[in-house]
Amino acid sequence: MRSVDDHLASVLARIQPLPPFEQHLLDAHGHRLAEDVVAPRDVPLFDNSAMDGYAVRRIDVVGADQESPAVLTVTQDIPAGTATEAEIGPGECARIMTGAPVPRGADAIVPVEWTDGWSEGTVRVHRVPEHGGHVRHMGEDIQRGQTLLTVGTVLGARQIGLLAAVGRDLVAVRPSPRVVVISTGSELVEPGVEPGPGQIPDANGYTLSAAAREAGAIVYRVGVVADDPKLLLDTIEDQLVRADLVVTTGGVSVGAYDVVKEALSGLGTVEFDRVAMQPGMPQGFGVVGPDEIPIFTLPGNPVSAYVSFELFVRPAIRKLAGYEDDLHHPVVDAICTAGFGSPGGRRQFARGVVGPAGSGGRIEVRPVGGAGSHLMGGLAQANCLISVPEEQTRVQAGDLVSVVLLDEAREVLAMMGER
Ligand code: AMP
Ligand code: MG
């Protein structure tokens, strides 16, 4: 048997990040940047008016007030989207709208509210703007050459907006890994179908599809494949065109109909190992097809399949997605509130509910459900996995244990400010 750590290391050593690709802005939404984005131009792109009003030479209006307004000749009209070369001379001004370029010669904007109104010929200004008043200066927001966003940033609405504002249409991002999920087992039916004698609903296909999405993948869930080696191989082959990674469940133990092992062993590129863990001992990993797409063959018991996914497949998906650190769920220490037994020689991942322990800032974990790897009820309540070392055969109430935080648990602890 190989250890959990050895298995994980050997899997990850064979996963390479997917190459970045250029995407149009909206298609890049939700993806991780694969480049540092440097501003190709200034924002604002040119000095422009922050108000609807008049572009003036400030010196011409200095001293003006209600009693003695400055009178200026309106020589131009500058709506947004236009530009003018004509300079504002002494005693002159331009009608200007918000966002329109400030004409040469002008050094401040007088809002229309500080005048006698919109006028074609002359305008009376009764209040003096500051020097540069109501002018949005070129480059005051972003300067050309400045780094705007760095590699690894997930592009949300505000980042997409920033890219658009500097005029970028294409950006290099990491693709979301495409994960094909296949459930094997002649006993499986779709949820919603009344199970016949000996039949059960396919739980794994749904559990793992959802877990793969949570890991950032685009998921293709292939329905149920019966225990027939030829059918399984054909299905995998058909799916390879849309897969960066394939996950199967079931058929990897030592039963007479364990077709996954039977079918894939023949290819010579997938290895089947016994990993010293509970649940999830039988594990297969390798590559399939001409493009050597990684494939995980997880055990069929639902808890085994899920735990194996979170421990081995999720980090692989994140590595494909270009993550370098942060591949794994966080692990914290917690005080266990109840004792339970653990198999010697195997790392146990017991299900638990983690949360604050009173007000002392300590974390405690309560085991839920039993040890059976078919027990879905306890799994659904759990928000963490209690990791019991290989050599330990009993956890006592009050023991400090290592806890692998699943997503909700991370939120629980973040709310407490523990992490
Ligand atoms: P296997 O490794 O194929 O013998 O499966 C081990 C156990 O897990 C059996 O009880 C199967 O019925 C069950 N099982 C396998 N696949 C699934 C699945 N997709 N959903 C629910 N249970 C499953
Ligand atoms: Mg089976």
Side-chain angles (χ1 to χ4, degrees), residues 184-188 227 249-253 257-259 300:
T184 72
S186 296
E187 72 278 32
L188 303 175
D227 290 323
T249 65
V252 291
S253 31
Y257 300 94
D258 281 333
V259 293

Side-chain angles (χ1 to χ4, degrees), residues 182-189 198 200-207 224 227 249-255 257-260 282 298-302 305 373-374 376:
I182 302 174
S183 300
T184 72
S186 296
E187 72 278 32
L188 303 175
V189 294
I200 57 168
D202 169 22
N204 294 346
Y206 287 89
T207 313
V224 164
D227 290 323
T249 65
V252 291
S253 31
V254 291
Y257 300 94
D258 281 333
V259 293
V260 173
L298 306 184
N301 276 306
S373 45
H374 60 295
M376 291 289 279

Side-chain angles (χ1 to χ4, degrees), residues 44-76:
L45 206 41
F46 44 83
D47 288 359
N48 69 90
S49 178
M51 301 290 281
D52 295 328
Y54 292 89
V56 303
R57 295 154 43 101
R58 182 173 177 276
I59 196 166
D60 291 346
V61 298
V62 166
D65 58 20
Q66 289 287 359
E67 282 68 48
S68 54
V71 181
L72 301 176
T73 308
V74 183
T75 57
Q76 304 182 40

